[in-house]
Amino acid sequence: LLQGAFQIASGACDVCVVGSSDAALRASVMSSFHRLRVTSRHDDPRTACRPFDETRDGFVIGEGAAVMILESREHLQKRKGRALAKVLGGGWLSDPTGMTQVDETGAVVQEVIQRSVDATRVVPSLISVHGTGTESNDLAESRGISQTSCKSALCFGMKGSLGHLLGAAGSVETALSLYGLSKRQHAGTTNLNQQDPRCPISIARHPGQVSADAVFGKLSLGFGGHTAFGMFSGGDGR
């Protein structure tokens, strides 16, 4: 999504189709993640993925897809369309810790968020976190966020209800969050019962209302060190 937004901002195009899909529910993929010891061993799949919870032990793999249409303000006005949301900015960095590891100090997460905030001079009040329910991810995200200007933001994670959609996770979670923003609502964090005290951020356990001027941030992490943060606000109807 950020790549598409930057293409439009640079004048390379007026409209860009962005998104991703993943269908990984096959034995070879699931066994690979199981051997990495990042999948949950809780018996009930409905409650197995528990982001930021003291009893978390990994995620549950899911499948999904999401596609969004980005366009310049001029193109939107010309066709008399209505915007669901506005892209305010963002960026990405590479975490050099390892192919399947993240920096648990949160330094990389802190840097990509703070760079984005400094560049746009906007501080999100809501953050959709990656929230895999693995110890390393949850510690990296919460420690990183707590060291930024967004440390008071209300966070929420969707993987407790969606599962980890792997390559589609960022797109689906962004699309759902943007739709919620248009309805002035935010999601909750399914299966968060007892928050790990080592995760010093404010996490919403249940869905709630948001103000019309709320700014939403999306934090995504991926194997290979990919770390990205985007910021959005509600559409203006034009």
Side-chain angles (χ1 to χ4, degrees), residues 53 57 105 124 236:
D53 193 89
D57 68 347
T105 69
D236 55 12

Side-chain angles (χ1 to χ4, degrees), residues 114-195:
Q114 198 59 54
R115 281 191 187 186
S116 301
V117 169
D118 291 344
T120 59
R121 298 182 181 180
V122 175
V123 179
S125 55
L126 294 164
I127 297 178
S128 173
V129 293
H130 193 54
T132 61
T134 62
E135 182 177 38
S136 58
N137 175 92
D138 293 359
L139 292 177
E141 285 195 280
S142 56
R143 288 169 176 170
I145 293 170
S146 68
Q147 299 172 53
T148 70
S149 303
C150 309
K151 59 185 177 182
S152 298
L154 182 63
C155 302
F156 58 90
M158 298 185 181
K159 289 181 176 63
S161 54
L162 297 176
H164 195 333
L165 308 186
L166 305 181
S171 295
V172 171
E173 291 169 13
T174 298
L176 290 174
S177 296
L178 293 178
Y179 181 75
L181 188 63
S182 72
K183 300 296 183 181
R184 299 187 184 180
Q185 295 180 328
H186 67 76
T189 307
T190 302
N191 299 327
L192 175 59
N193 298 311
Q194 186 62 46
Q195 185 171 333

